[in-house]
Amino acid sequence: MKKVSTISTNKDNLSKSIEDAFHKLISDYKKISLDYIQINEIEGNLKNTKINVSDTLSYLIGWGRLVLKWYDKKSKNLEVDFPESGFKWNELGSLAQHFYLSYKQYSYSELLLEFENTINSILKLVSSLDNDELYGSNWYKNYTLGRMIQLNTSAPMKNVRTKIRKFKKVYKIDI
């Protein structure tokens, strides 16, 4: 049996991938009460670290906002410091910690709203572009813009959802 690739190759598949991952994950998040959101029992992005539900949202918001920042800068022919100023690709665990701190002051409801707004902004960006802009040429090194968007939106959402569902199962939250 041939494995079907989950890598989007066109605008419609990319939008659907982001929307599907978002709707599944936001549904899980909305079932977690405030009593559980600060429990540090979710596998973190640095080896041997534990994070909480709020941190997972901060992580996803951080990456989504970076995608929007990258596109904005490149569309203005400005240089982009990938992945983020002060961080290299081999320092993604530290970048994740930066995201956790960046959104630490947000309430859970504010994080959920910011996550939704971030995803809506990304979907609006995707809808404003055509297949050639998304997949016609390399945008960053060997990656198309569509691939960079997917790698930093729907892919991490799927990964985080696995962690959230495991957390919900351990704490017997709507399983």
Side-chain angles (χ1 to χ4, degrees):
M1 177 180 249
K2 186 178 178 180
K3 184 178 179 186
V4 177
S5 174
T6 58
I7 299 170
S8 298
T9 56
N10 64 56
K11 174 180 175 168
D12 292 339
N13 287 347
L14 177 60
S15 291
K16 183 171 178 11
S17 174
I18 295 168
E19 288 170 0
D20 287 353
F22 172 77
H23 289 297
K24 289 175 182 175
L25 184 54
I26 201 76
S27 174
D28 284 328
Y29 278 133
K30 288 182 176 181
K31 293 173 184 168
I32 301 172
S33 77
L34 296 179
D35 297 334
Y36 295 97
I37 62 164
Q38 294 300 325
I39 298 172
N40 290 317
E41 284 297 325
I42 298 169
E43 179 186 336
N45 297 87
L46 278 175
K47 191 174 181 174
N48 300 320
T49 62
K50 297 288 185 180
I51 60 174
N52 60 53
V53 173
S54 292
D55 290 336
T56 66
L57 276 163
S58 298
Y59 177 80
L60 295 171
I61 294 164
W63 277 109
R65 289 287 162 199
L66 272 185
V67 166
L68 296 167
K69 177 182 171 181
W70 297 338
Y71 181 80
D72 183 58
K73 283 188 147 196
K74 281 195 85 144
S75 68
K76 294 175 181 170
N77 291 317
L78 299 172
E79 190 170 328
V80 179
D81 191 6
F82 288 101
E84 173 63 305
S85 298
F87 297 92
K88 296 184 178 356
W89 285 112
N90 64 352
E91 300 173 320
L92 297 183
S94 296
L95 181 56
Q97 290 188 316
H98 170 74
F99 294 148
Y100 309 152
L101 289 173
S102 297
Y103 296 96
K104 199 58 133 181
Q105 74 281 8
Y106 284 54
S107 70
Y108 192 57
S109 60
E110 289 170 330
L111 285 170
L112 290 171
L113 183 60
E114 185 65 23
F115 179 46
E116 184 173 2
N117 290 339
T118 300
I119 295 303
N120 285 337
S121 294
I122 290 166
L123 288 169
K124 184 177 178 183
L125 169 63
V126 170
S127 74
S128 74
L129 302 169
D130 62 31
N131 278 324
D132 192 55
E133 291 169 301
L134 287 164
Y135 293 100
S137 61
N138 290 340
W139 188 80
Y140 170 74
K141 295 191 177 183
N142 293 327
Y143 296 100
T144 64
L145 174 57
R147 184 72 175 125
M148 286 295 286
I149 292 171
Q150 185 173 9
L151 282 171
N152 296 288
T153 59
S154 63
M157 282 191 280
K158 289 175 184 177
N159 185 321
V160 166
R161 184 167 187 245
T162 299
K163 293 177 181 185
I164 291 296
R165 291 181 65 78
K166 182 177 177 184
F167 176 84
K168 285 174 58 182
K169 187 174 182 179
V170 166
Y171 287 91
K172 297 176 177 43
I173 301 169
D174 186 53
I175 33 177

